[in-house]
């Protein structure tokens, strides 16, 4: 009888042990999957960050943000790391923003996760801005929202003929965050206000001309540029800038093509030089040109609350430091999550990233 009991206990123990092993394996698998969303590698003289969700246009998750921030801080203190490169896997996107579906789900089920996501993303944006090592973003393909946040605050941003920049947040009931209140009002004239309120897309060399990118390089040369950067021996910031400038100078793609908004900039500066959305709408209506009416049509599709928040955000941000803007934007983000009108837009736009990517292949604005 004692032997049978012992056998039963041993059987239960072995079953318990197997279950634990399976659970541990599942945990390890989940960790591996999460880690695979972003690759963090030391190559040559550089730390290389690869956003690795090409099927989802390399959209950012909270796990990715945490991994990038932790590694950025390590590389910043590592004497063998002289520069940091960030790029996106695949050829379609650098990063199309935050994971909208995850945000939408978190809004309904996990408020703390939502708070953590915005807070930690903005902390990462600030860390990129203050990074002590040269930070180079290769913004090939779609670069929107959160993708702008992990690139535009870096010292160097390299666009290609396939780059697509936009801050489309007013279409999804939010506002152009990730430091948009800092860098957008600092673009030429009222260009940043126009981009923020309309979500207008800049493509190719226009991303450089507008001041979003610091350099422009042909896509077919981007791999060679990265190799040359990695091969540098204990480079200074000037050495890195020289390599980037060499590739930039060699690119002739669309070199003589005028900026897409060049003929409209005087009017844009006039239309958006006002303190209210209502006056901007009036300005567009009174102008009556086809371009003005096209922008009016776009603006009327946006969340009215988002438009008002965005205009005030940029006006306030024009005289603030980046840390001050990010604090302001965090408070705004949490307030937006509690706004019924914005929640409706946000819920209806859970697939906005994929919509934008499909539309971008067949239309131009």
């Amino acid at each position: 009888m004692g032997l049978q009991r012992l056998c039963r206990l041993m059987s239960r123990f072995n079953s318990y042990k197997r279950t634990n092993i399976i659970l541990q394996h599942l945990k390890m698998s989940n960790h591996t999957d999460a880690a695979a969303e972003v690759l963090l590698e030391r190559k040559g003289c550089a730390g290389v960050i690869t956003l690795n969700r090409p099927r989802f246009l390399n959209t950012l998750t909270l796990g990715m943000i945490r991994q990038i921030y932790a590694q950025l801080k390590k590389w910043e203190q590592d004497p063998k790391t002289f520069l940091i490169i960030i790029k996106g896997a695949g050829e379609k996107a650098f990063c199309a923003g935050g994971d909208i579906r995850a945000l939408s789900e978190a809004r309904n089920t996990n408020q703390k996760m939502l708070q953590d996501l915005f807070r930690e993303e903005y902390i990462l944006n600030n860390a990129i801005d203050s990074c002590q090592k040269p930070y180079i973003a290769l913004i090939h393909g779609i670069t929107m929202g959160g993708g702008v946040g992990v690139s535009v605050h870096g010292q160097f941003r390299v666009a290609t003929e396939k780059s697509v920049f936009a801050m489309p947040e007013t279409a999804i009931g939010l506002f152009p965050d990730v430091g948009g209140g800092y860098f957008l009002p600092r673009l030429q004239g009222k260009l940043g206000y126009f981009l923020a309120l309309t979500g207008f897309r800049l493509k190719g060399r226009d991303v450089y001309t507008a001041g979003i990118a610091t350099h422009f390089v042909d896509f077919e040369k981007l791999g060679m540029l990265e190799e040359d950067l990695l091969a540098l021996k204990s480079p200074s910031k000037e050495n890195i800038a020289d390599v980037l400038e060499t590739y930039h100078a060699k690119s002739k793609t669309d070199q003589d093509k005028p900026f897409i908004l060049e003929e409209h900039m005087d009017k844009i500066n006039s239309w958006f030089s006002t303190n209210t959305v209502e006056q901007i709408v009036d300005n567009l209506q009174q102008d009556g040109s086809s371009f003005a009416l096209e922008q009016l049509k776009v603006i009327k599709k946006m969340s009215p609350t988002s438009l008002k928040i965005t205009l005030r955000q940029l006006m306030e941000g024009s005289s603030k430091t980046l840390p001050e803007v990010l604090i302001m934007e965090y408070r705004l983000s949490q307030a937006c999550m509690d706004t019924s009108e914005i929640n409706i837009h946000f819920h209806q736009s859970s697939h906005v990233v994929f919509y934008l990517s499909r539309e971008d292949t067949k239309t131009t604005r």
Side-chain angles (χ1 to χ4, degrees), residues 99-163:
D99 190 324
I100 298 294
R101 179 178 292 182
L103 282 173
S104 183
E105 291 173 355
R107 182 182 61 80
N108 295 319
T109 61
N110 191 341
Q111 194 66 27
K112 184 179 185 306
M113 183 268 212
L114 201 59
Q115 293 170 353
D116 290 345
L117 178 58
F118 281 104
R119 184 180 66 251
E120 294 183 43
E121 183 176 18
Y122 297 170
I123 289 172
L124 174 59
N125 299 152
N126 189 62
I128 291 169
D129 176 72
S130 61
C131 185
Q132 298 302 303
K133 302 288 175 73
Y135 183 97
I136 305 165
L138 305 180
I139 53 174
H140 170 75
I142 298 169
T143 305
M144 298 183 181
V148 177
V150 294
S151 58
V152 76
H153 302 300
Q155 190 170 6
F156 302 109
R157 291 93 62 190
V158 182
T160 74
E161 66 273 23
K162 298 294 184 181
S163 294

Side-chain angles (χ1 to χ4, degrees), residues 213-260:
T214 58
H215 297 81
F216 180 87
V217 174
D218 295 342
F219 172 60
E220 64 178 15
K221 303 292 185 183
L222 206 57
M224 294 172 59
L225 168 63
E226 184 178 349
E227 288 177 9
D228 284 353
L229 288 170
L230 297 178
L232 292 171
K233 303 299 181 183
S234 304
S236 64
K237 182 178 71 174
E238 290 72 25
N239 297 146
I240 295 164
D242 286 345
V243 172
L244 292 169
E245 188 58 37
T246 297
Y247 275 85
H248 173 77
K250 288 180 180 178
S251 175
K252 306 301 179 185
T253 303
D254 294 332
Q255 189 177 41
D256 299 323
K257 186 178 179 180
F259 180 46
I260 190 171

Side-chain angles (χ1 to χ4, degrees), residues 130-356:
S130 61
C131 185
Q132 298 302 303
K133 302 288 175 73
Y135 183 97
I136 305 165
L138 305 180
I139 53 174
H140 170 75
I142 298 169
T143 305
M144 298 183 181
V148 177
V150 294
S151 58
V152 76
H153 302 300
Q155 190 170 6
F156 302 109
R157 291 93 62 190
V158 182
T160 74
E161 66 273 23
K162 298 294 184 181
S163 294
V164 180
F165 164 91
M167 296 297 280
E169 287 81 4
T170 53
I172 61 173
L174 293 174
F175 58 93
D177 62 339
V178 296
Y182 179 80
F183 77 85
L184 285 168
R186 287 166 172 79
L187 298 179
Q188 57 177 297
K190 293 295 179 177
L191 176 61
Y193 290 78
F194 171 76
L195 296 174
L197 293 170
T198 65
F200 189 93
R201 295 181 218 172
L202 296 174
K203 300 180 181 181
R205 192 176 282 271
D206 287 335
V207 178
Y208 163 74
T209 307
I212 304 300
T214 58
H215 297 81
F216 180 87
V217 174
D218 295 342
F219 172 60
E220 64 178 15
K221 303 292 185 183
L222 206 57
M224 294 172 59
L225 168 63
E226 184 178 349
E227 288 177 9
D228 284 353
L229 288 170
L230 297 178
L232 292 171
K233 303 299 181 183
S234 304
S236 64
K237 182 178 71 174
E238 290 72 25
N239 297 146
I240 295 164
D242 286 345
V243 172
L244 292 169
E245 188 58 37
T246 297
Y247 275 85
H248 173 77
K250 288 180 180 178
S251 175
K252 306 301 179 185
T253 303
D254 294 332
Q255 189 177 41
D256 299 323
K257 186 178 179 180
F259 180 46
I260 190 171
L261 295 171
E262 184 176 314
E263 64 178 302
H264 304 296
M265 278 309 302
D266 287 343
K267 287 191 173 183
I268 287 173
N269 292 339
S270 175
W271 296 334
F272 290 84
S273 293
T274 180
N275 296 333
T276 68
V277 174
E278 290 85 352
Q279 187 59 55
I280 291 172
V281 169
D282 286 345
N283 290 343
L284 293 169
Q285 287 176 331
Q286 289 173 16
D287 183 279
S289 66
S290 59
F291 182 76
L293 294 178
E294 183 181 352
Q295 305 319 309
L296 180 62
K297 184 178 178 181
V298 170
I299 284 177
K300 285 185 174 181
K301 291 179 180 179
M302 305 302 186
S303 158
T305 303
S306 286
L307 291 170
K308 286 177 174 288
I309 289 172
T310 297
L311 181 58
R312 181 66 181 273
Q313 170 206 3
L314 268 61
M315 290 167 59
E316 293 287 330
S318 65
S319 59
K320 293 182 183 292
T321 64
L322 178 60
E324 289 171 340
V325 166
L326 291 169
I327 291 170
M328 173 182 70
E329 291 179 353
Y330 176 72
R331 292 169 178 164
L332 284 172
S333 73
Q334 300 311 297
C336 283
M337 292 301 102
D338 295 328
T339 302
S340 58
E341 176 203 316
I342 287 179
N343 282 341
I344 291 169
H345 278 80
F346 190 73
H347 177 72
Q348 291 175 340
S349 304
S350 60
H351 300 290
V352 69
V353 167
F354 305 106
Y355 166 77
L356 286 171

